[in-house]
Amino acid sequence: MKKLTINFLIYILLANTSLISFLFIIEGYGLTEEITPEFGEPPVIDGYIDDSIKEWNKATKVQINLTGLPIKFWVMQNDDYLFLSVQFNIEINDHSVNEFIGILISNSSSKDLEDFIDAKIIQFTDIFNASFDYLDYNINKSVFINDTIYHGEGSAKLEGVTSTYEFSIPIDSSDEDKEDIMLNYGTTYAFNITYGDIASYPNGIKKSEIVLITINSPPLKKEPFINLTLFILSIIIFCILGFLYGFYIYRIFKLKKKIERIRR
């Protein structure tokens, strides 16, 4: 009986160990969002999502747990820009006057810290008076260095308990730029969404989560000349078919009259 009890306890211990290991694997590797954004009309980057004009209507929308802070993360693109929106609710008394959201971009799909070398940050200087800055940094060994030329756009707004941040990030730029990551079509990049409450980077970052985003290739566009050529060809083909059909009817009538004469 004693041996049976010991065996049972060992079985329970092994089962719990396996379950805990499984949960750690899920937590560490299985929850990374992988997003391929849809194409849509560019939103107005003003920190306000206007449902009346179906702004962000084409966005891929996911819920992400930002280290205990649940956020809505929206992703959309057009030929020239990747659009990102972060929205979350915090009780008004818990908001920091210097709250910020940063988007750290890796130079590939790598999630290693040293590969995040570009940062776009919307930093409130006074969240309760809607005062903020859009900042563009390149990162070198965890040191945030202010870009000489800012790329992209960002805006944010606090309404009640809801904070909304909107970003636009250039895609496939032909400009030679060593300070920013140039996002290329068909390539997957790691994006680290960060939240903080003081204007200090990276020291001010309190919460973060990584997602993978694949930049979608633009849909093929038909050149105007090709469209005109196809239109003209369609007209010609329908005209030929119409002529052949008319000639066929004419021959039928001629044959009918010939048969009637023979019968007489």
Side-chain angles (χ1 to χ4, degrees):
M1 183 67 180
K2 185 177 180 180
K3 184 177 180 180
L4 180 62
T5 302
I6 292 173
N7 288 339
F8 179 75
L9 291 175
I10 291 173
Y11 174 79
I12 293 297
L13 180 62
L14 290 173
N16 285 338
T17 303
S18 299
L19 179 59
I20 292 170
S21 299
F22 178 70
L23 290 176
F24 273 122
I25 290 171
I26 290 177
E27 182 68 23
Y29 302 101
L31 296 181
T32 301
E33 290 286 347
E34 298 184 14
I35 302 169
T36 301
E38 298 291 334
F39 279 75
E41 292 297 318
V44 179
I45 305 300
D46 58 359
Y48 172 70
I49 297 175
D50 191 349
D51 292 328
S52 67
I53 59 173
K54 298 182 178 180
E55 197 176 36
W56 294 94
N57 195 45
K58 294 288 187 179
T60 300
K61 303 173 182 179
V62 297
Q63 299 278 345
I64 295 175
N65 187 357
L66 207 65
T67 322
L69 175 64
I71 68 168
K72 296 177 182 177
F73 186 57
W74 294 4
V75 185
M76 187 172 64
Q77 73 170 94
N78 63 7
D79 290 359
D80 302 312
Y81 288 92
L82 177 69
F83 303 104
L84 307 176
S85 175
V86 176
Q87 191 176 70
F88 56 88
N89 296 333
I90 296 180
E91 291 300 324
I92 195 68
N93 293 331
D94 294 332
H95 277 286
S96 166
V97 69
N98 296 129
E99 177 183 292
F100 71 85
I101 284 289
I103 304 293
L104 279 54
I105 310 173
S106 173
N107 57 15
S108 65
S109 60
S110 170
K111 294 182 277 186
D112 292 338
L113 181 62
E114 62 270 16
D115 291 324
F116 288 91
I117 59 175
D118 191 7
K120 317 294 184 184
I121 298 174
I122 300 174
Q123 172 68 66
F124 275 105
T125 53
D126 185 350
I127 192 171
F128 301 109
N129 289 306
S131 177
F132 67 88
D133 293 318
Y134 171 71
L135 306 170
D136 193 0
Y137 289 97
N138 64 89
I139 308 171
N140 185 3
K141 296 180 180 179
S142 297
V143 177
F144 283 61
I145 304 168
N146 224 322
D147 283 8
T148 53
I149 299 175
Y150 281 16
H151 289 88
E153 188 180 1
S155 184
K157 188 175 292 185
L158 173 64
E159 294 183 300
V161 298
T162 303
S163 296
T164 302
Y165 294 77
E166 295 181 310
F167 296 84
S168 67
I169 301 173
I171 294 176
D172 202 34
S173 173
S174 59
D175 297 335
E176 185 176 350
D177 182 1
K178 296 180 180 179
E179 296 180 325
D180 291 280
I181 291 175
M182 294 294 102
L183 303 176
N184 294 314
Y185 298 126
T187 304
T188 300
Y189 298 90
F191 288 74
N192 191 355
I193 310 163
T194 63
Y195 164 85
D197 54 10
I198 59 173
S200 176
Y201 326 109
N203 297 332
I205 296 174
K206 303 299 182 184
K207 304 174 184 291
S208 66
E209 186 58 74
I210 294 174
V211 299
L212 297 177
I213 299 177
T214 300
I215 308 302
N216 213 346
S217 298
L220 294 176
K221 294 180 180 180
K222 295 180 179 178
E223 296 295 331
F225 175 76
I226 296 176
N227 290 335
L228 179 61
T229 301
L230 291 175
F231 178 70
I232 293 173
L233 285 175
S234 298
I235 292 176
I236 293 173
I237 290 172
F238 276 110
C239 288
I240 293 173
L241 291 175
F243 173 78
L244 292 175
Y245 180 74
F247 181 74
Y248 176 71
I249 297 297
Y250 169 75
R251 295 294 296 172
I252 289 176
F253 276 110
K254 292 287 289 183
L255 180 61
K256 183 179 179 182
K257 289 182 179 180
K258 188 173 182 179
I259 292 174
E260 288 176 352
R261 284 198 303 268
I262 292 173
R263 286 179 177 175
R264 291 175 187 169

